[in-house]
Amino acid sequence: MEHALSPATLAELRRPRPYPAVSVMTPTHRREPDNAQDPVRLRNVVAEAKKKLEADPAVTRERRAAVVQQLDRALAEVDLTHAEDGLVIFAAPDEHQVWSLAREVPERVVLSDTFLTRNLVSAHAAERPFWVLSVSADRVTLWSGAGDRVVEDRSGGFPLSRGRENFDAERQERIGDLPSTFRDEDTRHFLREADTAMTKVLREQPRPLYVTGEEAALSLLEEVGGVAGDAVQVRHGGLAHAGREAVWQAVKPVLDAQARRDTAAVARELDSARGHRTFAAGIDEVWQNAREGRVRLLAVEENYRVTVRDEGRGHLVPAAGGELDAREDIVDEIVEQCLETGADVRFVPDGTLGDEAGIAGVLRY
């Protein structure tokens, strides 16, 4: 199942396809007893997708068979033992993908000429993805982080390593030649290569960067390149040879502190916007401004969800789930729209926005 949404992956998912491109969404659960319902709900929503294909006169028999085959293959790949909060299946002739999301999605089946990506985009933004670069004199590893996890990433040619023949400290001590590893020219060249590789990764997938290593390693990386100077430095050695749990435990306190600072900064910006009349709050007002591309900063409480319908005069009104024209993922739609128009989207802890009903924005004008 997929987790990491890169700009290139998103562009590929949004590429127009011959009709029908099928998007299937269903909520999932991480823990018992709620997760007992997940297999049945998943089978039912896939069965609903097949019924829609059967009933659609625009879908030929050959194309229907091809998409059904891909749905079955996707269903066989789902691993609900590692479920998160939502599951999305994309299927079209000759292709399928399964995405596990750390954000709830509405149960829904959509047949179109593109895949429905708003839930992926919103989940990606909510997880606040970041990079961790773990540095040592002989190995540099890259980790992709989001939400409550890091996984090793092999973008840009990582991990980088070099032979350990130059690291025989006992031999060097015997012959009286034990220079600092991080004053060695080979080490400088090695970390310069790591800096160049990381620069390319950041250019293709911009994210906050955390760099771990002993102080001498961090100092040399900053001296020979540019990525360390703009990164958050975590003085913790040994992680270039460690597993993901050790990396996660080292960076988690730093991430938590940064999240608190970010939340405080968002609150200050919203307060300032109130005084300058560039403030919007509530689902209807924010939605209208998002459609016009006026939102510069969008703040959404992490678990804020609301079901609405368009009353037909450009305004949203509350709706019950299951209503024919109900829009259960309107928050994800707003998030995607704001990101498309260059807004800074921040998910904040529940209760942060006080009386602003879970969502607020700072306007450009």
Side-chain angles (χ1 to χ4, degrees):
M1 294 192 292
E2 304 285 345
H3 293 276
L5 183 67
S6 69
T9 300
L10 181 59
E12 170 59 22
L13 288 173
R14 287 176 166 170
R15 174 177 57 81
R17 287 162 167 81
Y19 185 87
V22 180
S23 303
V24 177
M25 288 149 282
T26 185
T28 52
H29 303 84
R30 298 172 186 252
R31 299 176 182 86
E32 297 178 342
D34 294 331
N35 61 5
Q37 65 183 285
D38 292 348
V40 175
R41 290 189 70 166
L42 177 58
R43 287 195 300 269
N44 287 345
V45 74
V46 171
E48 180 187 345
K50 293 178 180 179
K51 289 179 181 177
K52 283 195 171 186
L53 288 167
E54 182 73 32
D56 192 333
V59 181
T60 65
R61 178 182 300 177
E62 293 77 12
R63 193 168 294 276
R64 180 170 62 249
V67 176
V68 166
Q69 183 183 56
Q70 296 298 325
L71 284 171
D72 288 338
R73 289 179 177 176
L75 189 59
E77 292 178 10
V78 174
D79 181 5
L80 290 175
T81 60
H82 297 97
E84 296 178 277
D85 303 305
L87 188 73
V88 177
I89 293 174
F90 296 131
D94 302 319
E95 63 173 319
H96 67 271
Q97 291 190 33
V98 179
W99 288 81
S100 178
L101 308 182
R103 181 169 171 81
E104 186 179 338
V105 299
E107 188 167 285
R108 192 174 182 189
V109 174
V110 176
L111 275 60
S112 185
D113 57 359
T114 60
F115 293 135
L116 186 67
T117 59
R118 69 176 62 140
N119 305 105
L120 266 68
V121 171
S122 183
H124 183 68
E127 286 195 308
R128 296 184 291 271
F130 57 91
W131 295 115
V132 180
L133 190 70
S134 295
V135 179
S136 71
D138 66 324
R139 183 175 171 84
V140 181
T141 54
L142 178 63
W143 303 86
S144 176
D148 58 357
R149 65 179 180 271
V150 294
V151 295
E152 188 171 1
D153 193 288
R154 296 183 179 271
S155 299
F158 288 101
L160 304 179
S161 60
R162 64 185 181 124
R164 299 187 63 86
E165 61 272 10
N166 295 325
F167 297 91
D168 188 349
E170 290 184 6
R171 175 185 176 279
Q172 291 175 336
E173 189 172 19
R174 284 197 303 272
I175 65 175
D177 180 21
L178 187 58
S180 167
T181 301
F182 293 100
R183 290 201 302 269
D184 177 77
E185 188 57 37
D186 288 342
T187 305
R188 293 176 64 88
H189 179 71
F190 176 63
L191 293 191
R192 191 177 294 117
E193 287 182 345
D195 180 89
T196 300
M198 191 67 231
T199 299
K200 181 180 178 182
V201 171
L202 289 171
R203 185 165 55 246
E204 294 176 353
Q205 296 190 59
R207 300 183 189 177
L209 173 64
Y210 298 81
V211 180
T212 76
E214 59 181 279
E215 188 165 353
L218 297 178
S219 296
L220 180 57
L221 184 67
E222 187 170 4
E223 181 182 334
V224 300
V227 297
D230 296 327
V232 177
Q233 298 187 9
V234 182
R235 286 169 171 76
H236 191 304
L239 297 178
H241 294 273
R244 63 182 182 181
E245 183 60 26
V247 174
W248 171 248
Q249 292 302 326
V251 300
K252 184 178 185 301
V254 182
L255 293 168
D256 290 344
Q258 185 63 50
R260 290 190 292 270
R261 289 192 293 270
D262 289 346
T263 298
V266 169
R268 288 193 297 270
E269 284 212 55
L270 292 172
D271 284 341
S272 175
R274 287 185 181 92
H276 292 89
R277 296 187 178 182
T278 55
F279 179 76
I283 195 73
D284 184 49
E285 186 176 355
V286 172
W287 178 66
Q288 292 182 56
N289 284 286
R291 293 171 67 200
E292 297 170 2
R294 296 186 60 201
V295 178
R296 177 176 65 80
L297 168 67
L298 178 71
V300 184
E301 291 186 354
E302 289 170 348
N303 292 300
Y304 177 59
R305 314 291 297 184
V306 62
T307 301
V308 299
R309 58 181 173 82
D310 187 345
E311 68 173 0
R313 297 190 298 274
H315 291 281
L316 301 177
V317 296
E323 287 188 26
L324 185 61
D325 55 353
R327 299 164 75 167
E328 297 182 50
D329 55 355
I330 188 65
V331 176
D332 288 359
E333 186 177 330
I334 290 172
V335 168
E336 184 181 48
Q337 180 65 45
C338 287
L339 289 170
E340 285 289 319
T341 55
D344 184 9
V345 176
R346 303 291 186 88
F347 284 81
V348 297
D350 294 347
T352 299
L353 301 180
D355 297 332
E356 311 309 340
I359 191 167
V362 177
L363 306 182
R364 291 189 169 96
Y365 53 88

